């Protein structure tokens, strides 16, 4: 059921974006800035990267839950960690390693692209950064969580 929910959500997001933004080719005085296909493909990338980054957030929050031991503690740790990571993302050398970048950079890139503005990053670099960064956060969080579960002898 979870897969069906995800697919339905993805279809609804893409349909809503298509209706709101139109997604015809972006032209300026008969000069093609971005084709409709390019805009749609980038929107799909944004959704996938956001989905991966959210999985990374959930996995790392579960590690916080194992340490905190209570829902309230987990929420407090997650909120404070998110705030600190958002502040740290303002420092350019550190930005490519932090989860807030993987959540916000693809959308900011797509918004600039859909308005015909210069894009902040190259799509290839952004794809590598978001894909690798999210996967690394997921793997590290998963391994750290598994280690904590074994150490604390938490049973299924």
């Amino acid at each position: 059921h979870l897969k069906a929910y995800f697919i339905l959500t993805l279809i609804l997001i893409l349909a809503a974006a298509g209706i709101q933004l139109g997604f015809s080719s972006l032209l300026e005085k008969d000069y093609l800035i971005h084709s409709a296909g390019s805009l749609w493909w980038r929107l799909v990338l944004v959704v996938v990267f956001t989905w991966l980054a959210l999985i990374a957030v959930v996995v790392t929050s579960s590690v916080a839950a194992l340490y905190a031991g209570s829902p309230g503690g987990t929420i407090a740790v997650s909120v404070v960690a998110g705030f600190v990571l958002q502040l740290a993302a303002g420092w350019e050398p550190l930005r490519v390693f932090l989860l807030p970048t993987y959540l916000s950079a693809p959308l900011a890139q797509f918004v600039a692209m859909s308005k015909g503005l210069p894009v902040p990053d190259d799509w290839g670099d952004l794809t590598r950064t978001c894909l690798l960064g999210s996967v690394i956060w997921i793997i590290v969080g998963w391994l750290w969580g598994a280690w904590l579960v074994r150490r604390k002898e938490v049973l299924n």
Side-chain angles (χ1 to χ4, degrees):
H1 296 294
L2 186 60
K3 291 178 188 176
Y5 177 73
F6 171 71
I7 292 170
L8 179 63
T9 303
L10 179 63
I11 290 169
L12 288 174
I13 288 171
L14 292 173
I19 290 168
Q20 181 180 356
L21 301 174
F23 281 2
S24 57
S25 294
L26 189 58
L27 300 167
E28 181 67 35
K29 296 184 182 177
D30 294 331
Y31 176 75
L32 179 66
I33 298 173
H34 299 293
S35 68
S38 176
L39 288 168
W40 277 104
W41 173 242
R42 296 314 193 278
L43 178 63
V44 170
L45 283 178
V46 168
V47 171
V48 169
F49 293 152
T50 302
W51 179 70
L52 273 174
L54 287 174
I55 290 173
V57 168
V58 169
V59 169
T60 54
S61 294
S62 66
V63 171
L66 288 169
Y67 276 115
S70 71
T74 302
I75 292 171
V77 168
S78 296
V79 167
V80 170
F83 182 70
V84 169
L85 287 173
Q86 190 66 34
L87 288 175
W91 189 35
E92 192 63 34
L94 194 57
R95 189 181 105 126
V96 297
F97 302 107
L98 302 177
L99 280 173
T101 300
Y102 314 139
L103 285 167
S104 63
L107 184 60
Q109 178 95 343
F110 180 75
V111 167
M113 181 184 178
S114 68
K115 291 180 178 180
L117 300 172
V119 292
D121 300 304
D122 175 62
W123 274 103
D125 292 341
L126 186 66
T127 298
R128 280 187 295 280
T129 299
C130 292
L131 186 61
L132 287 174
S134 293
V135 169
I136 289 169
W137 273 89
I138 290 168
I139 291 170
V140 168
W142 192 280
L143 292 174
W144 192 0
W147 176 77
L148 280 173
V149 166
R150 277 193 219 107
R151 193 180 112 215
K152 290 185 172 193
E153 296 180 2
V154 176
L155 302 176
N156 290 341

